[in-house]
Amino acid sequence: DGGITQSPKYLFRKEGQNVTLSCEQNLNHDAMYWYRQDPGQGLRLIYYSQIVNDFQKGDIAEGYSVSREKKESFPLTVTSAQKNPTAFYLCASSIAAGGPYNEQFFGPGTRLTVL
Amino acid sequence: GIQVEQSPPDLILQEGANSTLRCNFSDSVNNLQWFHQNPWGQLINLFYIPSGTKQNGRLSATTVATERYSLLYISSSQTTDSGVYFCAVDNYGGSQGNLIFGKGTKLSVKP
């Protein structure tokens, strides 16, 4: 089955802790994205990566970090510097970033709650 | 940056009714997608439609790029159609390709 997987589904964190959210895809897509969704809102871009070993900040990157060491994987770390991390996090991928190959497909999401 | 507005914000239908959801955007786009977010949060791709008309079963979509709007039609609605429908567009000419989302239309279909 081709698709995007995210783990864990639910994550609880104490204030001051860093946590890492996993995102894996087997679609052979070059581009990957992390979005954040708050209740009653649309999605906002945190980071994106057009190719392995490259990534760029999105609109709300402060307090987050990413890596892209493998094509299939794009983990997101929520650091203690993120002031309001409780949210629903969605990972997406596309054949390429921009242009006609930018149809994005999403994983099932991770719900992060800070206690 | 580009603005995306969806209307109506909320919609309640009886099963079997038809509906039209609208998405207005403020600038030219390369990409426009419609998604359905189910109660578990999963975003399901409905249409990739930067221009023209597409149909998939009871759903169809039309984008008029020159007038900067898109419409999603749902016919003979079912309770399983309930959820939030998002329109998302990219930044035309931008290399990053990220999608700008509207705030969604929350659809409730009553049996």
Side-chain angles (χ1 to χ4, degrees), chain A residues 11-21 35-39 44 46 60 62-64 76-90 110-115:
Chain A
L11 186 56
F12 298 90
R13 187 195 93 175
K14 292 182 180 178
E15 282 194 24
Q17 287 181 337
N18 293 353
V19 291
T20 297
L21 283 57
Y35 292 88
R36 169 184 171 136
Q37 185 179 28
D38 293 287
R44 293 180 293 164
I46 305 173
I60 54 167
E62 186 176 350
Y64 299 98
L76 174 74
T77 296
V78 184
T79 75
S80 57
Q82 169 48 234
K83 289 183 170 42
N84 187 18
T86 295
F88 187 46
Y89 291 87
L90 288 142
T110 292
R111 291 193 185 276
L112 173 63
T113 303
V114 174
L115 304 172

Side-chain angles (χ1 to χ4, degrees), chain B residues 31-44:
Chain B
N31 176 9
L32 188 146
Q33 290 185 246
W34 282 99
F35 298 93
H36 175 213
Q37 188 167 40
N38 66 22
W40 298 272
Q42 174 81 55
L43 274 176
I44 299 163

Side-chain angles (χ1 to χ4, degrees), chain B residues 57-69:
Chain B
R58 295 181 297 103
L59 274 60
S60 64
T62 294
T63 297
V64 183
T66 52
E67 297 187 21
R68 299 181 184 167
Y69 73 89

Side-chain angles (χ1 to χ4, degrees), chain A residues 1-7 22-29 31-34 72-74 90-94 103-109, chain B residues 42-43 45:
Chain A
D1 259 346
I4 304 171
T5 57
Q6 291 186 241
S7 61
S22 168
C23 177
E24 304 275 334
Q25 55 98 1
N26 62 3
L27 300 168
N28 200 32
H29 286 173
M32 296 186 75
Y33 312 81
W34 275 106
E72 304 79 28
S73 178
F74 191 39
L90 288 142
C91 177
S93 71
S94 64
E103 182 177 7
Q104 295 187 20
F105 298 87
F106 284 78
Chain B
Q42 174 81 55
L43 274 176
N45 288 44

